[in-house]
Amino acid sequence: MQLPSKELFKKYWKEVLIGTLLAGSLGTIFYVGAILVPAIMESLEILPVQLGFLATLLMGLMDSIFVFDSGVLSDVLGRKTMLIISNVLGLVLLYPSFYISN
């Protein structure tokens, strides 16, 4: 019995690790922006609850739109390049949101 996954992790463990970290970090960036930031803003009473819900809704909507556009763009630029660009862009856009205050 052959185990292709055994060969994958044995020969290409570095590529699997890097790909997992890059792709997984995008999910983390999304959930921090969509869930954690509005929740923190609400608990610190910087945002009203309704605005937090609106922010979450808009984050999901924008994600839905950019998933398709980014898929087309990744055909042109390449998957690796798009993963790197989207991670950097996500962090650059998300980081300042922690410093918003009254």
Side-chain angles (χ1 to χ4, degrees):
M1 180 170 97
Q2 288 184 329
L3 296 172
S5 57
K6 180 180 178 184
E7 183 177 344
L8 172 72
F9 287 107
K10 188 174 181 178
K11 285 186 176 180
Y12 303 103
W13 65 271
K14 188 176 179 182
E15 289 85 353
V16 170
L17 181 64
I18 291 170
T20 302
L21 289 173
L22 282 173
S25 62
L26 285 172
T28 303
I29 290 169
F30 172 78
Y31 284 108
V32 166
I35 306 299
L36 184 62
V37 171
I40 291 172
M41 298 290 179
E42 291 166 13
S43 68
L44 295 175
E45 297 180 355
I46 296 171
L47 288 180
V49 174
Q50 295 84 357
L51 199 54
F53 286 138
L54 181 62
T56 301
L57 177 70
L58 289 175
M59 184 81 168
L61 181 63
M62 295 305 293
D63 185 57
S64 298
I65 292 169
F66 283 111
V67 162
F68 296 108
D69 292 341
S70 298
V72 172
L73 193 57
S74 73
D75 289 339
V76 176
L77 298 177
R79 309 292 188 257
K80 184 177 177 181
T81 304
M82 274 306 293
L83 279 172
I84 293 169
I85 289 171
S86 57
N87 273 296
V88 170
L89 188 60
L91 289 172
V92 166
L93 293 173
L94 186 62
Y95 186 75
S97 65
F98 285 101
Y99 293 100
I100 296 173
S101 62
N102 288 337

